[in-house]
């Protein structure tokens, strides 16, 4: 327990496995589990009933993930809500806000000051820039890139699986360029690119790449004006 | 512990913080956390692994909520499922049913006899009438009003944020009038009104106000007949 | 405790109620609750903070479920993630993978080798075949049938309630035939049938039966080519 700073405010019934490192002024809720090898920076707050630092499980119909020797890293000044699950091999940057019931997979990087909303899900091998907002119940699929300042509205859905399970082939999620905004409940197809500062309306189904600085809406997405 | 009625059936590993009041004939599951200042009425049942009475956390890119001196109030004869999170400053009326894995924010009022489905989410500053049904995985955004007898289908999505994060400006969710019904996976845009007893079809994208007693469907929503 | 095999690796703060049976080489995470009458087969792994074997709760505006004397059955070689809830009266077949934060209701049968994704929800009285994939945040409504080898994309939404709460009348979910694939965020209306090996595009709204071996897309769904 020598790697846990004496200033930590620890809830009741917490489970802190071996090799966990906890910085200064950290607050941890009740019934929260920090699994082996998790690193928690200074001034982090974590809610109750969370499970952090999960090692991926697999079955024969799911992808095996790459070697994941690294634990979960949660950098300083970050807030993690209640009932959250986060995997090993992921890095949550400084000053990030993770809402309650969110879930974040392995091999994800979330940039400084971003927000992952309530019950939002971020799948594996995904890179999220700085100051992004991912709203409530949004689904960021695996193998996705969000540049800085991207806004993902509530209930947005993405896919990385063009052939819907007819493996093997390459999985590839969307690439969303700096400052783009995706309206609530929009659907993004595998491998598409949304251009810089472009806007996708609520409920839009995006089937092709969208250029920079345009607004699109409809099923399938068409440029407005 | 003098404010906890002797008839309570308390699960194992529960955490009951100070200032919690629990009425008669209450059943509380295992590993559930009741945070400071929570009030639980008579004949309430609460599942396992819940976190109730959460004080809002914020980061600099999120709204600060108003002063919230009040705790969470759960009135009598209400059922709360498992793995549920509910915030302080909210009142859940009598005979309400909250499904497993639902999440309800601060400054929300839910009327008598309403149902909040499994994994449904209700954001802050929202008022839900009596005998409403909010189905599984539906998303009720912040600053929303549901009058009595409203039906929100599964996976319905709402937004309160016309400019998608380009703050500051006023956030405003939908207003859904008495008896209106919203089909599954419909998308409602910020600030719109759905008229009394109107019906919105599944998968509809509602971009403008809908008058009373009509049925709409499509992207964007159009009146049928 | 005589029905718990000595080889079990039990986490901390677990709650194992009476009448629970646990096979050989089972791993159970921390803070997990196994309720009365739950059966866990050999080589099963279960994550932390789960609640398994839940007896249905009801209020007067919800369906009463049929007699449910049976507990939950989880067959051998199955993996259950973290923060999962599963009800009594349900059978999870061999070699199934249940993602974190998934929820499965009572009177459900899930066939061998199927995957239920992260935060996916399966409602009551539903039958899921072998080798199906139900992706993240998908919603499988009550009274639904999935034959073998069905693929349900992320955030797919279904309904079983044609009149949206104006009970009483028969509830009926979709029937999805062998090998059909449903794209992300598609909406399926009550009682429809999707034919064998047919493909439904992302964001499609399916309002009528779809024949075998076709591809459909749009709002409402139309056949391509």
């Amino acid at each position: 327990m020598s790697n846990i700073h004496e200033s930590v405010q620890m809830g009741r019934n917490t489970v802190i496995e071996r090799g966990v490192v906890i910085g200064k002024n950290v607050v941890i809720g009740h019934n929260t589990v920090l699994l082996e090898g998790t690193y928690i920076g200074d001034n982090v707050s974590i809610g109750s009933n969370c499970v952090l630092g999960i090692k991926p499980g697999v079955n024969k119909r799911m992808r095996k993930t790459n070697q994941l020797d690294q634990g979960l890293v949660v950098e300083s000044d970050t807030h993690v809500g209640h009932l959250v699950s986060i995997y090993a091999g992921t890095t949550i940057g400084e000053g990030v806000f993770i809402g309650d019931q969110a879930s974040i997979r392995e091999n994800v990087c979330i940039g400084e000051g971003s927000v992952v909303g309530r019950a939002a899900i971020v799948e594996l091998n995904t890179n999220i820039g700085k100051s992004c907002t991912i709203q409530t119940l949004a689904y960021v699929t695996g193998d996705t890139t969000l540049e800085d300042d991207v806004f993902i509205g509530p209930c947005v859905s993405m896919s990385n699986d063009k052939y819907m399970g007819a493996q093997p082939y390459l999985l590839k999620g969307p690439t969303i360029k700096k400052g783009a905004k995706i309206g609530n409940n929009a659907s993004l197809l595998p491998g598409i690119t949304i251009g810089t500062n472009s806007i996708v309306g609520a409920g839009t189904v995006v089937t092709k790449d969208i250029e920079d600085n345009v607004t699109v809406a409809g099923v399938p997405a068409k440029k407005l004006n």
Side-chain angles (χ1 to χ4, degrees), chain A:
Chain A
M1 302 284 277
S2 60
N3 288 317
I4 298 179
H5 194 271
E6 60 183 10
S7 60
V8 64
Q9 292 178 53
M10 190 77 80
R12 287 167 57 187
N13 306 327
T14 53
V15 178
I16 311 298
E17 290 193 348
R18 63 186 175 178
V20 170
V21 177
I22 302 180
K24 295 179 195 168
N25 302 316
V26 168
V27 179
I28 297 177
H30 308 294
N31 296 334
T32 277
V33 175
L34 302 187
L35 295 167
E36 198 178 335
T38 297
Y39 170 91
I40 305 293
D42 296 343
N43 309 311
V44 168
S45 62
I46 299 171
S48 293
N49 287 8
C50 292
V51 189
L52 304 189
I54 303 166
K55 302 287 188 298
V58 290
N59 82 351
K60 59 192 172 186
R61 302 191 49 249
M62 297 176 67
R63 279 197 286 175
K64 284 190 180 53
T65 47
N66 300 327
Q67 203 176 341
L68 289 165
D69 294 339
Q70 285 198 294
L72 166 65
V73 174
V74 179
E75 298 197 357
S76 57
D77 300 306
T78 278
H79 171 87
V80 177
H82 304 267
L83 294 157
V84 168
S85 57
I86 312 182
Y87 277 66
T90 277
T91 299
I92 311 291
E94 287 189 26
V96 168
F97 187 100
I98 312 278
D100 306 319
Q101 294 168 279
S103 182
I104 300 171
R105 290 281 300 278
E106 66 272 19
N107 199 21
V108 167
C109 187
I110 299 185
E112 193 180 323
S114 285
V115 173
V116 176
R118 181 174 308 279
I121 292 183
V122 180
E123 297 276 21
L124 72 176
N125 305 332
T126 285
N127 195 68
I128 294 174
K130 296 179 183 174
S131 301
C132 290
T133 299
I134 296 168
Q135 289 223 332
T136 301
L137 276 170
Y139 175 57
V140 178
T141 190
D143 311 280
T144 294
T145 301
L146 273 58
E147 294 186 354
D148 297 344
D149 304 314
V150 163
F151 179 96
I152 305 289
C155 310
V156 164
S157 166
M158 304 182 191
S159 172
N160 67 348
D161 188 353
K162 198 170 174 182
Y163 300 100
M164 301 199 220
Q167 293 180 11
Y169 53 90
L170 190 67
L171 295 172
K172 182 89 185 72
T175 298
I176 305 181
K177 298 281 197 179
K178 184 172 161 63
K181 297 174 189 292
I182 314 297
N184 63 301
N185 216 13
S187 303
L188 308 185
L189 270 73
I192 59 159
T193 296
I194 308 287
T196 304
N197 292 323
S198 284
I199 295 174
V200 173
T204 297
V205 178
V206 182
T207 58
K208 295 179 182 170
D209 290 354
I210 303 295
E211 55 193 297
D212 294 350
N213 301 307
V214 297
T215 298
V216 300
V219 182
K222 284 180 189 151
K223 214 189 295 188
L224 300 185
N225 304 327

